[in-house]
Amino acid sequence: KRQANIESKLTEVETQRMIDECVNKRIKELMEKKDAEVDAEVCRRVEIAKQILERQMREELQAKKAEMDREMAEQEEEHQKEIKSLQAIVEQLKSDQDEAKLRLDEERLEVVEAKRRIEEERQTLEKELKKKEKMIQNQILGKSESNSRPRISFGMKKK
């Protein structure tokens, strides 16, 4: 009976060990299968998240690019306005400069003309003054054209 009891215990222990091995093997297989399924699910979710993130980043980059393009267009428009404004100022300054040059040229011409008139008047006055002095000298010396006497010539001429 003891032998049968021992055998029965051994059989029971052996059976339990075999059951445990089978269960462990089955659990290991199921775990490997689950790991593969979990890995596949994780990969699928990571791929989906990656696609979503890429789409969001693309949209964000496109929005930033559109904003930058708009800002660049505004800056370009401002610069064009500033250029036009500066060109208008330059044109006005050129016009003012041309007018000032014309006025200066006219004033110089007037000054030259005034100097010429003054010089003519001076020369005329000098001529008149010399004429009066000569007349006074002639009167003092008694030389007048109305009562001029014939010249006396002193010379030895053979006739």
Side-chain angles (χ1 to χ4, degrees):
K1 208 174 181 190
R2 217 171 169 192
Q3 183 79 11
N5 214 2
I6 290 178
E7 280 182 21
S8 144
K9 277 260 186 200
L10 276 176
T11 307
E12 198 177 301
V13 167
E14 187 63 28
T15 307
Q16 186 61 37
R17 186 185 62 75
M18 286 175 76
I19 290 174
D20 284 346
E21 279 180 16
C22 265
V23 167
N24 283 338
K25 187 178 174 186
R26 181 75 175 136
I27 287 176
K28 188 176 179 182
E29 286 174 1
L30 285 174
M31 287 296 284
E32 286 176 3
K33 185 178 175 186
K34 267 297 191 195
D35 281 349
E37 287 176 7
V38 167
D39 284 348
E41 181 65 20
V42 166
C43 285
R44 186 183 70 80
R45 287 184 182 183
V46 164
E47 188 61 32
I48 290 172
K50 182 180 170 185
Q51 289 173 356
I52 290 171
L53 186 60
E54 285 177 353
R55 181 177 43 81
Q56 287 174 344
M57 288 185 73
R58 241 189 330 270
E59 289 172 358
E60 188 178 317
L61 286 174
Q62 287 174 348
K64 284 182 180 180
K65 183 183 179 293
E67 178 66 21
M68 287 175 63
D69 288 345
R70 186 186 60 76
E71 287 176 3
M72 289 292 283
E74 287 176 1
Q75 286 180 351
E76 181 69 24
E77 188 177 328
E78 282 181 35
H79 289 141
Q80 289 298 329
K81 286 179 182 177
E82 191 173 331
I83 287 171
K84 284 182 183 178
S85 171
L86 291 174
Q87 285 175 339
I89 291 171
V90 166
E91 288 300 318
Q92 182 63 39
L93 289 174
K94 280 183 181 178
S95 174
D96 292 349
Q97 182 184 15
D98 290 344
E99 288 177 19
K101 188 175 184 250
L102 282 174
R103 282 193 305 269
L104 185 61
D105 289 345
E106 288 173 358
E107 288 174 4
R108 283 182 184 157
L109 187 61
E110 288 174 6
V111 167
V112 167
E113 183 63 27
K115 282 183 179 180
R116 185 192 60 77
R117 280 195 308 268
I118 290 171
E119 183 62 26
E120 283 179 359
E121 288 176 12
R122 187 188 64 76
Q123 287 176 357
T124 305
L125 286 174
E126 262 184 26
K127 282 182 184 178
E128 286 179 17
L129 187 62
K130 282 183 182 180
K131 199 175 186 182
K132 280 184 181 180
E133 282 180 5
K134 193 171 185 176
M135 221 169 81
I136 291 173
Q137 268 184 348
N138 283 339
Q139 281 178 352
I140 290 173
L141 295 174
K143 294 181 180 177
S144 67
E145 290 175 12
S146 58
N147 62 2
S148 65
R149 55 187 170 125
R151 282 189 144 184
I152 304 172
S153 62
F154 298 96
M156 305 276 235
K157 288 186 186 178
K158 281 191 181 180
K159 288 191 179 179

